[in-house]
Amino acid sequence: MKEPIQKKWIWVGFVLLIAFNAPWYLPEGMIEPYILGIPFWALISILLSLILCAYLSWVCIAHWNLIEDEEEKEAERERRQSS
């Protein structure tokens, strides 16, 4: 299993979420519309920040190589059995 750092699609997702987190693509000086008293651009930033957190959590849970811990436990069991 490859480490997440070696999977290019993970980096593409990460870069896209970071790039669109700051709403540079909206017209300059856009404050309105307000949604529940919060500017639209701020809601975009909050929403994309939450998506970024969820994405990074999913990458760590689903794609992180935790085999080393399991191998260490297995080696410890074998040492105990051989003693």
Side-chain angles (χ1 to χ4, degrees):
M1 174 186 251
K2 288 184 174 180
E3 291 291 331
I5 197 168
Q6 297 175 346
K7 295 180 181 180
K8 292 181 182 176
W9 64 268
I10 289 176
W11 288 103
V12 170
F14 183 66
V15 168
L16 287 175
L17 285 169
I18 294 291
F20 287 98
N21 197 9
W24 51 267
Y25 43 85
L26 295 176
E28 187 176 330
M30 180 181 171
I31 297 174
E32 295 181 353
Y34 288 98
I35 301 172
L36 299 173
I38 301 172
F40 180 65
W41 64 266
L43 287 177
I44 291 173
S45 292
I46 292 168
L47 179 65
L48 286 173
S49 293
L50 292 173
I51 292 171
L52 177 63
C53 290
Y55 179 72
L56 290 175
S57 296
W58 175 74
V59 167
C60 288
I61 291 170
H63 296 281
W64 203 267
N65 185 2
L66 297 177
I67 301 297
E68 294 173 355
D69 292 337
E70 293 173 13
E71 289 174 350
E72 287 178 9
K73 288 178 185 177
E74 188 175 319
E76 182 65 30
R77 282 188 216 131
E78 288 176 5
R79 276 187 243 137
R80 288 181 186 170
Q81 289 176 353
S82 65
S83 299

